[in-house]
Amino acid sequence: MATLKEILFTSLTAAGLVAADGLNARAVAAGKKYFGTEISTIVMADSSANAIAKNSQDFGQYTCENEMKFDALEPSRGTFSYTSADKIVAQAQANGQIMRCHNLVWHSQVPSWVTNGKFDNATLISIMKNHIANVVGHYKGKCYAWDVVNEALNEDGSYRTSGSIWGSTIGPAFIPIAFAAAAAADPTAKLYYNDYNCDKPGSKATGAQNLIKMVKQYGAPIHGFGMQGHMTAGQVGSASQYVTNMRAFANLGVEVAFTELDISTPSSSPNFAQQATDYATIVSACKQVSACVGITTWGFTDKYTWISNSYPLIWDTSLQKKAAYNAILNAWGSSSTPTSLAAPTSTSQASSGNATGCTAAHYAQCGGQGYSGCTVCESPYTCKYSNDWYSQCL
Ligand code: G3I
């Protein structure tokens, strides 16, 4: 039930009397499709937390935490259970938020009737195709994107077989088969490969690029690469590393997104300033790459994070905004004026950027080797040298 304050705000915003603003509003103003969050029916049952999730100025997109996984949707063979996931989709639709749907084929959260079934190759393929046809068919037209295959790679970029019923029984061919089945069930959904530790260039990112090429070679469609983005504060590095990585994927003809971003800091000695800087780095990287369509955080409040002993998200355990909130807002830039049109307000230093007539937001990158964005910081911040590859508005 909406509070009086929420109703008043919504009405005034609709009447154009209150400027719309928030994490998603800024992302959209920066040319992105969404800023979104993972959500669960557990969070929805907490009315204070859910009020935050329902604010489409902050979140333009949802991902179900567990409700669309194989074990949740097909707990026994041929029996599909959509009630919980449908609740999340209904809330998204009621608030004008789009869905990234997660996920169809993963080695984890597979029900025991699949893992213990001792199915042969042909039977397991038919089980996988039947699951995809039912689930994607059920949500046809309601998912902006599907994570079709999740985490199919080892850290060295080779295909995972150990611990994966799909990889060990079918082999890597399950991947293009899954993409083709998803495309047949919903030809309009963007079909993604999604994985962790592929956010920066390296052997696993190269493996993901090979996987995308392999899917295309089989003649199946693949439209996107999801960088999960489970990170640690202080170890995030420079925006340019993420930019380079995203461009390598974009060169293969797919869009990219950060799909599960969270930035851990220990609950025993949290460093929220560092965490805010790191969130801004990721936003800045996405902002610089046109193929980056959006960012989804893996939850929004530390009250419901999946990570023990950590405060990785944007609202604290009491549902108050943390430093990361404003850092993300500022990194996206103004909610109304495209940053490329904003007047310069302070001078830059130590940068190799070349964009003119624009300002970089607080915490955004403003210089460094290979950087080509804005080199002037919005007032009152200045461009501070961090290393040869990265200067930041502080
Ligand atoms: O549903 C059972 C319940 O019946 C049982 O009583 C209870 C007892 O522990 O467990 C429940 O299952 C839990 C499930 O979440 C649903 O709540 C599992 O134990 C628990 O391991 C599972 O954790 C999820 C994890 O994926 C599974 O690997 C996390 O909530 C979820 O945040 C996490 O999300 C993944 C993404 O899908 C893929 N990328 C990594 C990301 C973080 O691990």
Side-chain angles (χ1 to χ4, degrees), residues 129-269:
K129 287 167 81 172
N130 184 57
H131 181 81
I132 293 172
N134 268 277
V135 171
V136 178
H138 180 82
Y139 290 112
K140 187 174 180 185
K142 296 182 177 171
C143 297
Y144 163 71
W146 265 108
D147 288 332
V148 177
V149 173
N150 196 41
E151 303 176 7
L153 295 172
N154 296 312
E155 292 305 289
D156 65 359
S158 59
Y159 292 106
R160 185 194 293 269
T161 49
S162 172
S164 168
I165 192 70
W166 315 108
S168 61
T169 308
I170 306 171
F174 85 83
I175 300 167
I177 295 171
F179 275 90
D186 187 349
T188 61
K190 301 274 185 192
L191 306 180
Y192 271 62
Y193 175 66
N194 190 53
D195 210 333
Y196 59 91
N197 287 349
C198 303
D199 324 319
K200 292 181 187 171
S203 42
K204 198 169 182 186
T206 303
Q209 287 151 24
N210 291 336
L211 183 152
I212 290 165
K213 290 178 198 161
M214 187 263 284
V215 172
K216 288 179 180 236
Q217 278 160 2
Y218 272 79
I222 180 164
H223 311 112
F225 174 58
M227 299 164 290
Q228 292 189 4
H230 296 292
M231 303 184 185
T232 302
Q235 295 175 24
V236 164
S238 70
S240 62
Q241 293 173 290
Y242 299 95
V243 168
T244 301
N245 195 47
M246 285 187 271
R247 288 192 175 141
F249 283 94
N251 287 341
L252 297 177
V254 294
E255 62 181 46
V256 295
F258 287 94
T259 53
E260 304 183 15
L261 182 63
D262 50 19
I263 304 182
S264 277
T265 188
S267 50
S268 52
S269 58

Side-chain angles (χ1 to χ4, degrees), residues 65-66 69 102 106 108-109 150-151 228 230 260 298 306:
E65 183 173 25
N66 291 304
K69 291 173 181 173
H102 173 84
W106 187 24
S108 182
Q109 289 177 275
N150 196 41
E151 303 176 7
Q228 292 189 4
H230 296 292
E260 304 183 15
W298 204 240
W306 68 287

Side-chain angles (χ1 to χ4, degrees), residues 72-384:
L73 292 187
E74 195 179 353
S76 59
R77 192 170 180 179
T79 304
F80 291 85
S81 168
Y82 291 111
T83 312
S84 295
D86 283 356
K87 269 192 198 169
I88 294 177
V89 175
Q91 175 160 305
Q93 290 189 322
N95 291 295
Q97 295 155 314
I98 60 173
M99 291 295 306
R100 287 196 84 264
C101 294
H102 173 84
N103 62 55
L104 295 169
V105 192
W106 187 24
H107 64 276
S108 182
Q109 289 177 275
V110 184
S112 55
W113 69 264
V114 176
T115 48
N116 298 337
K118 298 192 170 33
F119 298 113
D120 63 14
N121 179 46
T123 310
L124 196 60
I125 289 174
S126 78
I127 286 170
M128 183 182 80
K129 287 167 81 172
N130 184 57
H131 181 81
I132 293 172
N134 268 277
V135 171
V136 178
H138 180 82
Y139 290 112
K140 187 174 180 185
K142 296 182 177 171
C143 297
Y144 163 71
W146 265 108
D147 288 332
V148 177
V149 173
N150 196 41
E151 303 176 7
L153 295 172
N154 296 312
E155 292 305 289
D156 65 359
S158 59
Y159 292 106
R160 185 194 293 269
T161 49
S162 172
S164 168
I165 192 70
W166 315 108
S168 61
T169 308
I170 306 171
F174 85 83
I175 300 167
I177 295 171
F179 275 90
D186 187 349
T188 61
K190 301 274 185 192
L191 306 180
Y192 271 62
Y193 175 66
N194 190 53
D195 210 333
Y196 59 91
N197 287 349
C198 303
D199 324 319
K200 292 181 187 171
S203 42
K204 198 169 182 186
T206 303
Q209 287 151 24
N210 291 336
L211 183 152
I212 290 165
K213 290 178 198 161
M214 187 263 284
V215 172
K216 288 179 180 236
Q217 278 160 2
Y218 272 79
I222 180 164
H223 311 112
F225 174 58
M227 299 164 290
Q228 292 189 4
H230 296 292
M231 303 184 185
T232 302
Q235 295 175 24
V236 164
S238 70
S240 62
Q241 293 173 290
Y242 299 95
V243 168
T244 301
N245 195 47
M246 285 187 271
R247 288 192 175 141
F249 283 94
N251 287 341
L252 297 177
V254 294
E255 62 181 46
V256 295
F258 287 94
T259 53
E260 304 183 15
L261 182 63
D262 50 19
I263 304 182
S264 277
T265 188
S267 50
S268 52
S269 58
N271 186 341
F272 292 133
Q274 179 65 53
Q275 181 182 58
T277 300
D278 292 336
Y279 267 107
T281 296
I282 300 304
V283 169
S284 158
C286 179
K287 194 175 160 184
Q288 291 173 53
V289 178
S290 57
C292 181
V293 297
I295 296 177
T296 308
T297 51
W298 204 240
F300 55 92
T301 164
D302 293 336
K303 189 173 178 184
Y304 294 108
T305 173
W306 68 287
I307 310 174
S308 321
N309 307 315
S310 179
Y311 289 150
L313 292 165
I314 307 168
W315 277 256
D316 68 17
T317 54
S318 306
L319 303 175
Q320 300 302 306
K321 289 172 183 166
K322 295 160 62 180
Y325 185 90
N326 279 330
I328 296 171
L329 277 190
N330 291 332
W332 281 128
S334 158
S335 61
S336 49
T337 315
T339 47
S340 58
L341 299 177
T345 47
S346 75
T347 51
S348 67
Q349 77 176 60
S351 83
S352 58
N354 57 14
T356 54
C358 61
T359 53
H362 189 198
Y363 297 115
Q365 184 174 11
C366 51
Q369 283 177 24
Y371 170 75
S372 59
C374 311
T375 57
V376 175
C377 294
E378 68 179 10
S379 179
Y381 307 104
T382 52
C383 191
K384 299 266 170 49

